[in-house]
Amino acid sequence: MAEQKKILGEERRSFILQLLKDSSEPLTGGELATRTNVSRQVIVGDITLLKAKNEPIIATSQGYMYLKQNSGTPTFERTIASRHTPEDTAKELNLLVDHGVLVKDVKIEHSVYGDLTASIMVSNRQEVKQFLENIQNTKASLLSELTGGIHLHTISASSTKVLDKAEAALKDEGFLIE
């Protein structure tokens, strides 16, 4: 079997950008590294350079995604404040996605680092499960563990009514901070 040729520099970054644009699923650094025959570290650098050129790429727990422009469907967004134990994370996220909400991120205010934001990008139970498995498998801490469970989420949905219902469900569970 012949050795696959490395794709170099700008050509590789263009190829990565096209792969991300064409994919409806997140692509991991490992997948991109295999497709371009370079190391995962090179991919991380390429993604950083693409972001520096204002390409709307985000890193999620499932991999890299290209944020596609709205297809004419209006999206409504708001930030909610929540508090719960780490054990209730799945319950909170599933409650939100079950109401048709995309949970875009989690934010905390850290006493030393200030505002910290991490992309989540979950919109269904399978993505929530995958996100939590990644947390568990990597032995990472939830950001909310640094703040006694207090955190913010940016959520989006197709209407304010959907957001209102999701927020009411969080309030009913005692998760919402008002």
Side-chain angles (χ1 to χ4, degrees):
M1 186 169 112
E3 188 177 314
Q4 186 181 357
K5 186 179 178 197
K6 286 183 183 177
I7 302 173
L8 301 176
E10 204 53 48
E11 182 185 350
R12 183 182 59 247
R13 285 185 285 281
S14 293
F15 181 64
I16 290 168
L17 190 59
Q18 197 57 54
L19 288 172
L20 291 170
K21 285 180 177 180
D22 292 345
S23 179
S24 59
E25 301 289 319
L27 297 174
T28 67
E31 290 172 276
L32 293 171
T34 300
R35 298 279 300 269
T36 56
N37 200 29
V38 296
S39 72
R40 194 181 159 296
Q41 261 66 28
V42 171
I43 296 298
V44 170
D46 286 344
I47 295 293
T48 301
L49 288 170
L50 289 167
K51 285 180 176 182
K53 291 181 177 180
N54 293 320
E55 291 293 349
I57 298 169
I58 60 164
T60 73
S61 60
Q62 297 94 23
Y64 296 108
M65 291 178 66
Y66 188 86
L67 289 179
K68 294 168 177 56
Q69 296 300 318
N70 244 342
S71 57
T73 308
T75 305
F76 298 88
E77 195 172 275
R78 74 174 58 144
T79 301
I80 55 165
S82 191
R83 173 191 272 151
H84 57 76
T85 65
E87 295 77 27
D88 280 330
T89 300
K91 188 174 191 177
E92 176 205 38
L93 293 175
N94 283 326
L95 189 148
L96 288 167
V97 301
D98 287 351
H99 278 84
V101 168
L102 166 67
V103 183
K104 295 177 89 171
D105 59 28
V106 60
K107 298 175 190 174
I108 63 164
E109 187 178 320
H110 191 272
S111 59
V112 175
Y113 299 114
D115 292 340
L116 297 177
T117 303
S119 178
I120 296 180
M121 300 302 283
V122 295
S123 62
N124 60 54
R125 282 183 172 257
Q126 182 58 38
E127 290 171 351
V128 169
K129 182 176 183 245
Q130 202 173 19
F131 169 73
L132 294 173
E133 284 174 356
N134 284 344
I135 294 286
Q136 187 175 26
N137 292 340
T138 59
K139 297 183 179 16
S141 296
L142 296 166
L143 285 183
S144 61
E145 290 182 70
L146 301 172
T147 56
I150 298 171
H151 58 284
L152 303 174
H153 286 298
T154 305
I155 58 173
S156 69
S158 58
S159 72
T160 57
K161 185 182 270 187
V162 170
L163 293 173
D164 291 343
K165 286 182 179 180
E167 209 170 327
L170 283 180
K171 184 177 181 179
D172 289 346
E173 283 298 325
F175 293 158
L176 196 65
I177 300 172
E178 298 183 90

